[in-house]
Amino acid sequence: GQNIDQPTEMTATEGAIVQINCTYQTSGFNGLFWYQQHAGEAPTFLSYNVLDGLEEKGRFSSFLSRSKGYSYLLLKELQMKDSASYLCAVLDSNYQLIWGAGTKLIIKP
Amino acid sequence: GAVVSQHPSWVICKSGTSVKIECRSLDFQATTMFWYRQFPKQSLMLMATSNEGSKATYEQGVEKDKFLINHASLTLSTLTVTSAHPEDSSFYICSAKGLAEYEQYFGPGTRLTVT
């Protein structure tokens, strides 16, 4: 079966760095997405990785290792507004998005 | 660019009634749109894939007679929840596929409450 695992909840301090991990087992791979979702809102796109390596975009970076079935989202200089759920999703061989359950990130002052 | 809208943003209806939710791609044509449902503290669950001009493809466990999907044009897909029950109360989100296979643009979601 297809499976995406990410921690349920993480807590971090304002101004710090946090890394949210995602491991996946899917039928085929056409890329991995990270989305941010604030409570009561739809997901917003953060990053897309299809090749191995690190993609940096401002305070957010995303890393992919296809051989390990592993990705992480790195958030630097955390701000209170970064409190949200972070969803990992993989595009499988049929170009269908397989979603993780999301990681709720709590930022404390 | 690539904006997707949903209407209404929230709706409260009585049990047994039907509710229609619209999903529009505002500045691009979307041959494929997706409908998701999200219960509190859970991830998105794909309900169905909607292709313009053809019948929707429903995920296992989703009742196609209860959740009617119509994708009549390249910019509009509708989801009708028929004979709604309180357990249908959820956050319904649509997304539209862009030109590239990996592009997917989300609408803002519709919160449905059935009383």
Side-chain angles (χ1 to χ4, degrees), chain A residues 37 43 87 99-100, chain B residues 6 21 34-48 58-64 66-67 69 79 81-82 84-95 106 109-112 114:
Chain A
Q37 186 177 27
L87 307 174
W99 292 87
Chain B
Q6 272 183 251
I21 302 170
F34 303 93
W35 286 98
Y36 293 89
R37 180 168 53 182
Q38 186 177 35
F39 293 106
K41 298 184 181 180
Q42 294 185 23
S43 193
L44 282 75
M45 286 174 42
L46 180 65
M47 298 175 67
Y58 290 82
E59 295 300 301
Q60 195 171 9
V62 178
E63 300 173 58
K64 61 181 180 181
K66 180 172 180 62
F67 298 99
I69 291 173
L79 168 69
V81 183
T82 61
H85 289 286
E87 56 265 31
D88 298 324
S89 298
S90 186
F91 192 43
Y92 291 86
I93 306 171
C94 75
S95 69
F106 284 87
T110 297
R111 180 147 320 271
L112 169 65
V114 184

Short mmCIF file of all heavy atoms in Angstrom, two decimals, chain A residues 37 43 87 99-100, chain B residues 6 21 34-48 58-64 66-67 69 79 81-82 84-95 106 109-112 114:
data_model
loop_
_atom_site.label_atom_id
_atom_site.label_comp_id
_atom_site.label_asym_id
_atom_site.label_seq_id
_atom_site.Cartn_x
_atom_site.Cartn_y
_atom_site.Cartn_z
N GLN A 37 -0.92 24.63 6.01
CA GLN A 37 -2.36 24.82 6.18
C GLN A 37 -2.65 25.40 7.55
O GLN A 37 -2.40 24.77 8.58
CB GLN A 37 -3.10 23.49 6.00
CG GLN A 37 -4.62 23.67 6.01
CD GLN A 37 -5.37 22.37 5.77
OE1 GLN A 37 -4.88 21.30 6.06
NE2 GLN A 37 -6.59 22.49 5.24
N PRO A 43 -4.93 24.39 2.00
CA PRO A 43 -3.48 24.33 1.96
C PRO A 43 -2.89 25.36 0.98
O PRO A 43 -3.50 25.66 -0.04
CB PRO A 43 -3.19 22.91 1.46
CG PRO A 43 -4.45 22.16 1.62
CD PRO A 43 -5.55 23.15 1.51
N LEU A 87 1.80 19.79 5.56
CA LEU A 87 1.39 18.55 4.90
C LEU A 87 2.43 18.14 3.86
O LEU A 87 2.83 18.94 3.02
CB LEU A 87 0.03 18.74 4.21
CG LEU A 87 -1.10 19.28 5.07
CD1 LEU A 87 -2.33 19.55 4.22
CD2 LEU A 87 -1.44 18.30 6.17
N TRP A 99 -1.47 11.98 0.34
CA TRP A 99 -1.24 12.95 1.42
C TRP A 99 -0.82 12.29 2.71
O TRP A 99 -1.35 11.25 3.11
CB TRP A 99 -2.53 13.73 1.67
CG TRP A 99 -2.93 14.63 0.56
CD1 TRP A 99 -3.69 14.30 -0.53
CD2 TRP A 99 -2.56 16.00 0.39
NE1 TRP A 99 -3.82 15.40 -1.35
CE2 TRP A 99 -3.15 16.44 -0.81
CE3 TRP A 99 -1.80 16.90 1.15
CZ2 TRP A 99 -3.00 17.75 -1.28
CZ3 TRP A 99 -1.66 18.19 0.69
CH2 TRP A 99 -2.25 18.60 -0.51
N GLY A 100 0.11 12.93 3.40
CA GLY A 100 0.39 12.58 4.78
C GLY A 100 -0.68 13.19 5.67
O GLY A 100 -1.48 14.03 5.22
N GLN B 6 -13.93 29.19 -4.62
CA GLN B 6 -15.01 28.29 -4.22
C GLN B 6 -16.15 29.12 -3.67
O GLN B 6 -15.95 30.14 -3.02
CB GLN B 6 -14.55 27.31 -3.12
CG GLN B 6 -13.93 26.05 -3.63
CD GLN B 6 -13.56 25.08 -2.54
OE1 GLN B 6 -12.38 24.88 -2.27
NE2 GLN B 6 -14.57 24.48 -1.92
N ILE B 21 -21.78 23.11 -4.13
CA ILE B 21 -20.55 23.88 -3.95
C ILE B 21 -19.90 24.04 -5.32
O ILE B 21 -19.76 23.08 -6.07
CB ILE B 21 -19.57 23.15 -3.00
CG1 ILE B 21 -20.23 22.89 -1.64
CG2 ILE B 21 -18.30 23.98 -2.82
CD1 ILE B 21 -19.42 21.97 -0.74
N PHE B 34 -10.10 18.40 -8.67
CA PHE B 34 -10.17 17.40 -7.62
C PHE B 34 -11.04 17.93 -6.48
O PHE B 34 -11.02 19.11 -6.16
CB PHE B 34 -8.78 17.09 -7.07
CG PHE B 34 -7.80 16.62 -8.11
CD1 PHE B 34 -6.97 17.52 -8.75
CD2 PHE B 34 -7.70 15.28 -8.43
CE1 PHE B 34 -6.06 17.11 -9.71
CE2 PHE B 34 -6.79 14.85 -9.39
CZ PHE B 34 -5.96 15.77 -10.03
N TRP B 35 -11.78 17.02 -5.87
CA TRP B 35 -12.56 17.37 -4.69
C TRP B 35 -12.04 16.59 -3.50
O TRP B 35 -11.89 15.36 -3.54
CB TRP B 35 -14.05 17.06 -4.91
CG TRP B 35 -14.70 18.05 -5.83
CD1 TRP B 35 -14.93 17.91 -7.16
CD2 TRP B 35 -15.20 19.34 -5.47
NE1 TRP B 35 -15.54 19.03 -7.65
CE2 TRP B 35 -15.72 19.93 -6.64
CE3 TRP B 35 -15.28 20.06 -4.27
CZ2 TRP B 35 -16.30 21.20 -6.65
CZ3 TRP B 35 -15.85 21.31 -4.29
CH2 TRP B 35 -16.36 21.87 -5.46
N TYR B 36 -11.75 17.35 -2.42
CA TYR B 36 -11.25 16.76 -1.19
C TYR B 36 -12.22 17.06 -0.06
O TYR B 36 -12.97 18.03 -0.07
CB TYR B 36 -9.89 17.37 -0.81
CG TYR B 36 -8.75 17.06 -1.74
CD1 TYR B 36 -8.48 17.88 -2.84
CD2 TYR B 36 -7.91 15.98 -1.50
CE1 TYR B 36 -7.40 17.61 -3.68
CE2 TYR B 36 -6.83 15.71 -2.34
CZ TYR B 36 -6.59 16.53 -3.42
OH TYR B 36 -5.52 16.26 -4.24
N ARG B 37 -12.11 16.22 0.97
CA ARG B 37 -12.87 16.46 2.20
C ARG B 37 -11.86 16.38 3.34
O ARG B 37 -10.95 15.53 3.31
CB ARG B 37 -13.97 15.41 2.36
CG ARG B 37 -14.81 15.55 3.61
CD ARG B 37 -16.05 14.68 3.55
NE ARG B 37 -15.73 13.30 3.26
CZ ARG B 37 -16.65 12.35 3.12
NH1 ARG B 37 -17.94 12.64 3.22
NH2 ARG B 37 -16.31 11.11 2.86
N GLN B 38 -12.03 17.23 4.31
CA GLN B 38 -11.11 17.22 5.45
C GLN B 38 -11.90 17.35 6.74
O GLN B 38 -12.56 18.37 6.97
CB GLN B 38 -10.09 18.35 5.33
CG GLN B 38 -9.01 18.30 6.40
CD GLN B 38 -7.96 19.38 6.22
OE1 GLN B 38 -8.27 20.48 5.78
NE2 GLN B 38 -6.72 19.08 6.55
N PHE B 39 -11.80 16.33 7.57
CA PHE B 39 -12.42 16.39 8.90
C PHE B 39 -11.43 17.01 9.86
O PHE B 39 -10.21 17.01 9.61
CB PHE B 39 -12.84 15.00 9.35
CG PHE B 39 -13.96 14.42 8.52
CD1 PHE B 39 -13.73 13.42 7.59
CD2 PHE B 39 -15.26 14.91 8.66
CE1 PHE B 39 -14.75 12.90 6.82
CE2 PHE B 39 -16.29 14.40 7.89
CZ PHE B 39 -16.04 13.40 6.96
N PRO B 40 -11.93 17.55 10.97
CA PRO B 40 -11.04 18.24 11.92
C PRO B 40 -9.85 17.40 12.33
O PRO B 40 -9.98 16.21 12.62
CB PRO B 40 -11.97 18.53 13.10
CG PRO B 40 -13.33 18.61 12.50
CD PRO B 40 -13.35 17.60 11.40
N LYS B 41 -8.70 18.01 12.31
CA LYS B 41 -7.44 17.41 12.75
C LYS B 41 -7.04 16.21 11.90
O LYS B 41 -6.25 15.38 12.35
CB LYS B 41 -7.52 17.01 14.23
CG LYS B 41 -7.73 18.20 15.15
CD LYS B 41 -7.71 17.81 16.61
CE LYS B 41 -7.94 19.03 17.48
NZ LYS B 41 -7.92 18.70 18.92
N GLN B 42 -7.58 16.13 10.70
CA GLN B 42 -7.18 15.05 9.80
C GLN B 42 -6.68 15.65 8.50
O GLN B 42 -6.88 16.82 8.22
CB GLN B 42 -8.37 14.12 9.52
CG GLN B 42 -8.84 13.35 10.74
CD GLN B 42 -9.91 12.35 10.40
OE1 GLN B 42 -10.03 11.91 9.26
NE2 GLN B 42 -10.70 11.98 11.39
N SER B 43 -6.01 14.81 7.70
CA SER B 43 -5.48 15.31 6.44
C SER B 43 -6.56 15.31 5.37
O SER B 43 -7.69 14.89 5.61
CB SER B 43 -4.30 14.44 6.01
OG SER B 43 -3.60 15.07 4.95
N LEU B 44 -6.19 15.80 4.22
CA LEU B 44 -7.14 15.84 3.12
C LEU B 44 -7.41 14.43 2.61
O LEU B 44 -6.52 13.61 2.51
CB LEU B 44 -6.58 16.65 1.96
CG LEU B 44 -6.63 18.17 2.09
CD1 LEU B 44 -5.58 18.67 3.04
CD2 LEU B 44 -6.44 18.82 0.73
N MET B 45 -8.67 14.19 2.29
CA MET B 45 -9.05 12.90 1.70
C MET B 45 -9.62 13.17 0.32
O MET B 45 -10.61 13.90 0.20
CB MET B 45 -10.10 12.20 2.55
CG MET B 45 -9.57 11.60 3.82
SD MET B 45 -10.91 10.95 4.85
CE MET B 45 -11.97 10.16 3.65
N LEU B 46 -9.00 12.60 -0.70
CA LEU B 46 -9.50 12.78 -2.05
C LEU B 46 -10.83 12.06 -2.19
O LEU B 46 -10.94 10.87 -1.88
CB LEU B 46 -8.50 12.24 -3.08
CG LEU B 46 -8.90 12.36 -4.54
CD1 LEU B 46 -9.00 13.83 -4.96
CD2 LEU B 46 -7.91 11.63 -5.43
N MET B 47 -11.85 12.79 -2.65
CA MET B 47 -13.16 12.19 -2.85
C MET B 47 -13.32 11.73 -4.29
O MET B 47 -13.78 10.63 -4.56
CB MET B 47 -14.26 13.20 -2.54
CG MET B 47 -14.28 13.69 -1.11
SD MET B 47 -15.53 14.96 -0.89
CE MET B 47 -17.04 14.02 -1.12
N ALA B 48 -12.94 12.62 -5.22
CA ALA B 48 -13.16 12.30 -6.62
C ALA B 48 -12.32 13.19 -7.51
O ALA B 48 -11.90 14.28 -7.11
CB ALA B 48 -14.64 12.48 -6.97
N TYR B 58 -14.60 8.40 -8.76
CA TYR B 58 -14.74 8.47 -7.32
C TYR B 58 -13.76 7.53 -6.63
O TYR B 58 -13.48 6.44 -7.12
CB TYR B 58 -16.17 8.11 -6.91
CG TYR B 58 -17.19 9.16 -7.30
CD1 TYR B 58 -17.71 9.23 -8.59
CD2 TYR B 58 -17.62 10.11 -6.37
CE1 TYR B 58 -18.63 10.20 -8.95
CE2 TYR B 58 -18.55 11.09 -6.71
CZ TYR B 58 -19.04 11.12 -8.01
OH TYR B 58 -19.95 12.09 -8.35
N GLU B 59 -13.28 7.98 -5.48
CA GLU B 59 -12.40 7.13 -4.67
C GLU B 59 -13.24 6.07 -3.96
O GLU B 59 -14.45 6.24 -3.76
CB GLU B 59 -11.63 7.97 -3.66
CG GLU B 59 -10.66 8.94 -4.31
CD GLU B 59 -9.61 8.25 -5.14
OE1 GLU B 59 -8.86 7.40 -4.58
OE2 GLU B 59 -9.52 8.55 -6.34
N GLN B 60 -12.56 5.03 -3.60
CA GLN B 60 -13.25 3.93 -2.91
C GLN B 60 -13.90 4.43 -1.64
O GLN B 60 -13.29 5.17 -0.86
CB GLN B 60 -12.23 2.84 -2.58
CG GLN B 60 -12.85 1.51 -2.20
CD GLN B 60 -11.81 0.41 -2.08
OE1 GLN B 60 -10.61 0.67 -2.13
NE2 GLN B 60 -12.26 -0.81 -1.93
N GLY B 61 -15.14 4.05 -1.44
CA GLY B 61 -15.84 4.43 -0.22
C GLY B 61 -16.64 5.72 -0.34
O GLY B 61 -17.37 6.08 0.57
N VAL B 62 -16.50 6.42 -1.45
CA VAL B 62 -17.25 7.66 -1.66
C VAL B 62 -18.47 7.35 -2.51
O VAL B 62 -18.35 6.81 -3.61
CB VAL B 62 -16.38 8.72 -2.35
CG1 VAL B 62 -17.19 9.99 -2.60
CG2 VAL B 62 -15.16 9.03 -1.52
N GLU B 63 -19.65 7.68 -1.99
CA GLU B 63 -20.90 7.36 -2.69
C GLU B 63 -21.15 8.36 -3.82
O GLU B 63 -21.42 9.54 -3.57
CB GLU B 63 -22.06 7.41 -1.72
CG GLU B 63 -21.95 6.45 -0.54
CD GLU B 63 -23.07 6.71 0.45
OE1 GLU B 63 -24.25 6.62 0.07
OE2 GLU B 63 -22.76 7.02 1.63
N LYS B 64 -21.11 7.87 -5.04
CA LYS B 64 -21.27 8.78 -6.18
C LYS B 64 -22.69 9.32 -6.30
O LYS B 64 -22.90 10.39 -6.88
CB LYS B 64 -20.85 8.10 -7.48
CG LYS B 64 -21.65 6.88 -7.83
CD LYS B 64 -21.11 6.27 -9.13
CE LYS B 64 -21.91 5.04 -9.52
NZ LYS B 64 -21.39 4.41 -10.76
N LYS B 66 -24.47 10.17 -3.78
CA LYS B 66 -24.65 11.15 -2.72
C LYS B 66 -23.85 12.42 -3.01
O LYS B 66 -24.30 13.52 -2.73
CB LYS B 66 -24.20 10.57 -1.38
CG LYS B 66 -24.36 11.54 -0.23
CD LYS B 66 -24.10 10.88 1.09
CE LYS B 66 -24.28 11.89 2.21
NZ LYS B 66 -25.64 12.43 2.27
N PHE B 67 -22.70 12.25 -3.58
CA PHE B 67 -21.83 13.38 -3.90
C PHE B 67 -21.77 13.49 -5.43
O PHE B 67 -20.94 12.86 -6.08
CB PHE B 67 -20.44 13.17 -3.31
CG PHE B 67 -20.43 13.08 -1.81
CD1 PHE B 67 -20.39 11.85 -1.18
CD2 PHE B 67 -20.48 14.23 -1.03
CE1 PHE B 67 -20.39 11.76 0.21
CE2 PHE B 67 -20.49 14.15 0.35
CZ PHE B 67 -20.44 12.91 0.98
N ILE B 69 -20.98 15.13 -8.87
CA ILE B 69 -19.98 16.05 -9.41
C ILE B 69 -20.27 16.29 -10.88
O ILE B 69 -20.49 15.36 -11.65
CB ILE B 69 -18.57 15.47 -9.22
CG1 ILE B 69 -18.21 15.47 -7.72
CG2 ILE B 69 -17.54 16.29 -10.01
CD1 ILE B 69 -16.92 14.78 -7.40
N LEU B 79 -19.88 20.37 -6.89
CA LEU B 79 -20.10 19.21 -6.02
C LEU B 79 -21.43 19.43 -5.31
O LEU B 79 -21.60 20.46 -4.65
CB LEU B 79 -18.98 19.08 -4.99
CG LEU B 79 -19.21 18.10 -3.83
CD1 LEU B 79 -19.22 16.67 -4.34
CD2 LEU B 79 -18.13 18.27 -2.75
N VAL B 81 -23.89 17.89 -2.53
CA VAL B 81 -24.09 16.92 -1.45
C VAL B 81 -25.59 16.73 -1.33
O VAL B 81 -26.33 17.65 -0.93
CB VAL B 81 -23.50 17.43 -0.12
CG1 VAL B 81 -23.66 16.38 0.98
CG2 VAL B 81 -22.04 17.81 -0.29
N THR B 82 -26.08 15.57 -1.70
CA THR B 82 -27.52 15.32 -1.70
C THR B 82 -27.95 14.70 -0.37
O THR B 82 -27.19 13.94 0.25
CB THR B 82 -27.92 14.39 -2.84
OG1 THR B 82 -27.25 13.13 -2.66
CG2 THR B 82 -27.51 14.96 -4.19
N ALA B 84 -28.17 15.74 2.68
CA ALA B 84 -27.06 15.90 3.64
C ALA B 84 -27.46 15.44 5.04
O ALA B 84 -28.60 15.60 5.47
CB ALA B 84 -26.61 17.35 3.66
N HIS B 85 -26.48 14.87 5.73
CA HIS B 85 -26.66 14.44 7.11
C HIS B 85 -25.56 15.08 7.96
O HIS B 85 -24.53 15.49 7.43
CB HIS B 85 -26.59 12.91 7.20
CG HIS B 85 -27.78 12.23 6.61
ND1 HIS B 85 -29.01 12.21 7.21
CD2 HIS B 85 -27.92 11.57 5.43
CE1 HIS B 85 -29.87 11.54 6.44
NE2 HIS B 85 -29.23 11.15 5.36
N PRO B 86 -25.76 15.14 9.26
CA PRO B 86 -24.75 15.77 10.12
C PRO B 86 -23.34 15.20 9.93
O PRO B 86 -22.36 15.94 10.02
CB PRO B 86 -25.28 15.49 11.53
CG PRO B 86 -26.77 15.48 11.36
CD PRO B 86 -27.00 14.82 10.02
N GLU B 87 -23.24 13.92 9.61
CA GLU B 87 -21.90 13.33 9.42
C GLU B 87 -21.21 13.82 8.14
O GLU B 87 -20.03 13.55 7.92
CB GLU B 87 -21.96 11.79 9.42
CG GLU B 87 -22.90 11.19 8.40
CD GLU B 87 -24.26 10.88 8.98
OE1 GLU B 87 -24.72 11.60 9.90
OE2 GLU B 87 -24.90 9.92 8.51
N ASP B 88 -21.97 14.52 7.28
CA ASP B 88 -21.38 15.12 6.07
C ASP B 88 -20.74 16.47 6.38
O ASP B 88 -20.08 17.07 5.52
CB ASP B 88 -22.43 15.31 4.98
CG ASP B 88 -23.03 13.98 4.52
OD1 ASP B 88 -22.28 12.99 4.47
OD2 ASP B 88 -24.25 13.95 4.24
N SER B 89 -20.95 16.96 7.59
CA SER B 89 -20.34 18.23 7.99
C SER B 89 -18.82 18.09 7.90
O SER B 89 -18.23 17.20 8.51
CB SER B 89 -20.75 18.59 9.42
OG SER B 89 -22.15 18.76 9.52
N SER B 90 -18.21 18.95 7.14
CA SER B 90 -16.78 18.84 6.90
C SER B 90 -16.30 20.08 6.16
O SER B 90 -17.08 20.96 5.81
CB SER B 90 -16.49 17.58 6.07
OG SER B 90 -15.11 17.34 5.94
N PHE B 91 -15.02 20.11 5.90
CA PHE B 91 -14.39 21.17 5.10
C PHE B 91 -14.14 20.56 3.72
O PHE B 91 -13.42 19.56 3.60
CB PHE B 91 -13.08 21.58 5.77
CG PHE B 91 -12.44 22.84 5.25
CD1 PHE B 91 -13.22 23.96 4.98
CD2 PHE B 91 -11.08 22.90 5.04
CE1 PHE B 91 -12.63 25.13 4.52
CE2 PHE B 91 -10.48 24.07 4.57
CZ PHE B 91 -11.25 25.18 4.32
N TYR B 92 -14.78 21.12 2.70
CA TYR B 92 -14.65 20.59 1.35
C TYR B 92 -13.75 21.53 0.55
O TYR B 92 -13.98 22.73 0.47
CB TYR B 92 -16.03 20.47 0.68
CG TYR B 92 -16.88 19.39 1.31
CD1 TYR B 92 -17.66 19.66 2.43
CD2 TYR B 92 -16.88 18.09 0.79
CE1 TYR B 92 -18.42 18.66 3.02
CE2 TYR B 92 -17.64 17.10 1.38
CZ TYR B 92 -18.40 17.38 2.50
OH TYR B 92 -19.15 16.39 3.08
N ILE B 93 -12.72 20.95 -0.05
CA ILE B 93 -11.73 21.75 -0.78
C ILE B 93 -11.62 21.21 -2.21
O ILE B 93 -11.54 20.00 -2.41
CB ILE B 93 -10.34 21.67 -0.11
CG1 ILE B 93 -10.42 22.06 1.37
CG2 ILE B 93 -9.34 22.58 -0.83
CD1 ILE B 93 -9.13 21.79 2.12
N CYS B 94 -11.59 22.13 -3.16
CA CYS B 94 -11.36 21.70 -4.54
C CYS B 94 -9.98 22.17 -4.97
O CYS B 94 -9.41 23.09 -4.38
CB CYS B 94 -12.43 22.25 -5.48
SG CYS B 94 -12.25 24.00 -5.86
N SER B 95 -9.45 21.51 -5.95
CA SER B 95 -8.21 21.97 -6.56
C SER B 95 -8.30 21.76 -8.06
O SER B 95 -9.05 20.91 -8.53
CB SER B 95 -6.99 21.24 -5.98
OG SER B 95 -7.00 19.89 -6.38
N PHE B 106 -5.20 25.09 -5.21
CA PHE B 106 -6.32 24.84 -4.30
C PHE B 106 -7.25 26.04 -4.18
O PHE B 106 -6.82 27.19 -4.17
CB PHE B 106 -5.79 24.49 -2.91
CG PHE B 106 -5.25 23.10 -2.83
CD1 PHE B 106 -3.93 22.84 -3.16
CD2 PHE B 106 -6.06 22.04 -2.46
CE1 PHE B 106 -3.43 21.54 -3.11
CE2 PHE B 106 -5.57 20.75 -2.41
CZ PHE B 106 -4.25 20.50 -2.74
N GLY B 109 -11.69 26.56 0.03
CA GLY B 109 -12.46 25.63 0.86
C GLY B 109 -13.86 26.11 1.17
O GLY B 109 -14.15 27.31 1.15
N THR B 110 -14.73 25.16 1.46
CA THR B 110 -16.12 25.43 1.86
C THR B 110 -16.40 24.64 3.11
O THR B 110 -16.25 23.42 3.13
CB THR B 110 -17.11 25.00 0.76
OG1 THR B 110 -16.90 25.77 -0.42
CG2 THR B 110 -18.56 25.19 1.24
N ARG B 111 -16.81 25.35 4.16
CA ARG B 111 -17.14 24.65 5.40
C ARG B 111 -18.64 24.38 5.41
O ARG B 111 -19.45 25.30 5.36
CB ARG B 111 -16.76 25.48 6.62
CG ARG B 111 -17.09 24.76 7.91
CD ARG B 111 -16.18 25.01 9.09
NE ARG B 111 -14.79 25.09 8.83
CZ ARG B 111 -13.97 24.02 8.84
NH1 ARG B 111 -14.44 22.83 9.06
NH2 ARG B 111 -12.68 24.18 8.63
N LEU B 112 -18.98 23.10 5.43
CA LEU B 112 -20.39 22.69 5.44
C LEU B 112 -20.76 22.19 6.83
O LEU B 112 -20.08 21.32 7.40
CB LEU B 112 -20.63 21.57 4.42
CG LEU B 112 -21.99 20.86 4.49
CD1 LEU B 112 -23.11 21.83 4.15
CD2 LEU B 112 -22.02 19.66 3.54
N VAL B 114 -24.10 20.61 8.73
CA VAL B 114 -25.46 20.08 8.57
C VAL B 114 -26.07 19.92 9.94
O VAL B 114 -25.51 19.23 10.81
CB VAL B 114 -25.44 18.73 7.83
CG1 VAL B 114 -26.87 18.25 7.58
CG2 VAL B 114 -24.68 18.83 6.52
#
